[in-house]
């Protein structure tokens, strides 16, 4: 599409340079992804240098390279956990058989569906969180937000890789569609309900990264045991990043509660539902509890 060799920029351990078909598919997809990122990713801050962690390899050396980068120039990589020699399917009808390196015909549409649904959640959360930069409580929080955002972007890449590499033409079409659905859109919403909800404030963001990412991690843990080995290896590497997302959530919720308790103590407030604490810039404990209940049951 242009003389820029986009694929040369992609950190990968899938021998992208010698896979012409995949290279072509990604070359076609990359500019569309960037267009999506600019239109639907974080509002503002796209020209700012952000101190971000980039994964350029899966080993201890490569998985966390820190440096200043403008988000649209982030190097989203395609990285799979190392192949386990002699791995066998652990569950179900095919238990004990060698894992599949290609998609078995009988499970093709089911696997494609699973990958599409997983892939769809990743850009969806970036869309949900796109306005939060403007109200970040601190630079520390803002950096965490953008780190989570670029990594969710990379998780989309991980699923797009599988679709383009293993699912032929319909996989390539699904990869395009992942950029066409939009969180909360009336006509073309994201696939799962939770990813069409609003994330209007930072407490919601912390709840999202505590609970929705925990749910996501559970899904990934189960995909990491898949009999389709490339899916298992891709998701295993994604899990290394998911831990940080949940850390952002859990410590965020903790800090919010901590601050409310401090303010209550300072001003002699004893009723957890006393909304008067709001005048000191914090949220009452009863409201926080309600949010937790909502996410926990939803
Ligand atoms: Fe993710
Ligand atoms: Fe996540």
């Amino acid at each position: 599409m242009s003389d820029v060799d986009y694929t040369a920029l992609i950190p990968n351990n899938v021998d992208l340079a010698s896979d012409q078909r995949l290279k072509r598919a990604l070359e076609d997809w990359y500019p569309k992804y960037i267009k999506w990122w600019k239109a639907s990713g974080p509002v503002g801050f796209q020209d700012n240098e952000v101190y971000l962690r980039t994964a350029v390899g899966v080993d201890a050396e490569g998985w966390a390279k820190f440096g200043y980068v403008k988000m649209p120039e982030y190097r989203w990589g395609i990285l799979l956990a190392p192949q386990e020699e002699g791995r066998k399917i652990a569950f179900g009808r095919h238990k004990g058989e060698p894992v599949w390196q290609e998609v078995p015909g009988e499970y093709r549409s089911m696997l494609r569906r699973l990958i599409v649904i997983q892939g769809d959640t990743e850009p969806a959360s970036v869309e949900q969180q796109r306005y939060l930069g403007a109200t970040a409580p601190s630079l520390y929080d803002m950096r965490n937000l953008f780190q989570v955002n670029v990594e969710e972007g990379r998780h989309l890449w991980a699923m797009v890789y599988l679709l383009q590499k293993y699912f032929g033409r319909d996989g390539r079409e699904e990869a395009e569609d992942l950029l066409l659905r939009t969180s909360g859109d009336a006509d073309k919403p994201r696939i799962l309900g939770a990813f069409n909800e609003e994330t209007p404030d930072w407490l919601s963001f912390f709840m999202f990264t505590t609970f929705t990412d925990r749910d996501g991690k559970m899904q990934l843990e189960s995909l990491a045991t898949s009999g389709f080995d490339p899916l298992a290896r891709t998701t295993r590497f994604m899990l290394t990043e998911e831990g940080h997302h949940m850390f952002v959530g859990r410590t965020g919720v903790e800090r919010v509660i901590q601050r409310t308790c401090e303010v209550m103590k300072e001003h002699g407030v004893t009723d957890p539902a006393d909304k008067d604490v709001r005048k000191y810039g914090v949220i009452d404990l009863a409201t926080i509890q309600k949010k937790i209940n909502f996410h926990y049951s939803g």
Side-chain angles (χ1 to χ4, degrees):
M1 92 137 247
S2 74
D3 45 10
V4 184
D5 183 4
Y6 289 105
T7 50
L9 302 169
I10 303 173
N12 74 92
N13 63 353
V14 297
D15 204 9
L16 183 57
S18 63
D19 188 336
Q20 287 309 317
R21 211 162 54 111
L22 177 64
K23 208 165 158 292
R24 263 201 309 279
L26 271 172
E27 262 160 11
D28 186 54
W29 188 80
Y30 199 153
K32 293 175 188 163
Y33 170 80
I34 294 297
K35 201 171 145 206
W36 165 82
W37 177 271
K38 288 184 176 165
S40 305
V43 171
F45 310 100
Q46 299 275 358
D47 291 321
N48 291 83
E49 304 267 345
V50 185
Y51 192 67
L52 291 173
R53 177 180 72 185
T54 304
V56 296
V58 294
D59 53 6
E61 279 278 281
W63 84 280
K65 290 264 181 242
F66 284 90
Y68 285 94
V69 56
K70 291 181 183 170
M71 284 188 279
E73 291 162 18
Y74 188 78
R75 294 174 67 210
W76 287 280
I78 300 172
L79 299 158
L80 275 61
Q83 190 162 0
E84 259 174 59
E85 210 50 60
R87 191 177 156 242
K88 301 269 193 290
I89 296 172
F91 311 98
R93 198 185 306 167
H94 299 278
K95 185 174 172 179
E97 294 173 21
V99 289
W100 305 304
Q101 297 305 332
E102 292 295 328
V103 184
E106 52 187 318
Y107 301 120
R108 185 187 167 86
S109 66
M110 190 190 73
L111 275 167
R112 192 186 59 207
R113 188 74 190 145
L114 272 177
I115 292 167
V116 166
I117 291 173
Q118 178 62 44
D120 193 68
T121 66
E122 315 287 358
S125 66
V126 176
E127 291 164 351
Q128 286 171 298
Q129 295 157 16
R130 66 190 302 249
Y131 295 104
L132 294 176
T135 53
S138 69
L139 210 54
Y140 167 81
D141 291 291
M142 192 191 284
R143 199 209 74 82
N144 276 342
L145 168 71
F146 293 153
Q147 183 72 57
V148 169
N149 290 163
V150 293
E151 282 172 357
E152 300 302 5
R154 204 197 67 75
H155 293 176
L156 168 63
W157 277 68
M159 294 300 119
V160 162
Y161 159 73
L162 292 172
L163 290 168
Q164 293 185 336
K165 167 92 184 167
Y166 295 98
F167 292 87
R169 190 203 170 99
D170 40 337
R172 291 194 293 275
E173 283 170 10
E174 294 282 15
E176 302 251 313
D177 287 351
L178 286 167
L179 298 173
L180 297 179
R181 285 184 289 272
T182 307
S183 176
D185 190 273
D187 299 320
K188 271 185 159 266
R190 290 295 174 183
I191 298 170
L192 301 179
F195 293 86
N196 290 303
E197 304 276 347
E198 284 180 31
T199 310
D201 52 60
W202 276 76
L203 186 55
S204 305
F205 170 66
F206 291 142
M207 294 292 171
F208 186 96
T209 35
T210 300
F211 294 105
T212 312
D213 273 292
R214 183 176 299 270
D215 190 0
K217 184 162 186 270
M218 198 275 285
Q219 307 278 5
L220 291 177
E221 293 277 6
S222 69
L223 294 177
T225 68
S226 174
F228 177 43
D229 205 37
L231 175 59
R233 292 171 56 205
T234 310
T235 41
R236 239 183 303 143
F237 184 66
M238 288 161 72
L239 284 166
T240 58
E241 292 159 331
E242 215 54 63
H244 173 253
H245 303 182
M246 287 167 50
F247 163 85
V248 169
R250 181 177 55 78
T251 55
V253 174
E254 277 170 11
R255 284 156 60 217
V256 172
I257 294 172
Q258 172 82 32
R259 185 69 194 127
T260 297
C261 292
E262 283 167 11
V263 164
M264 286 172 73
K265 209 169 155 201
E266 201 179 311
H267 296 277
V269 181
T270 51
D271 178 6
D274 191 340
K275 288 198 167 34
D276 248 21
V277 293
R278 290 179 178 226
K279 66 178 181 243
Y280 308 113
V282 297
I283 304 163
D284 58 283
L285 291 176
T287 300
I288 298 171
Q289 178 72 60
K290 232 192 271 168
K291 285 228 182 208
I292 290 174
N293 292 348
F294 171 78
H295 281 267
Y296 202 68
S297 60

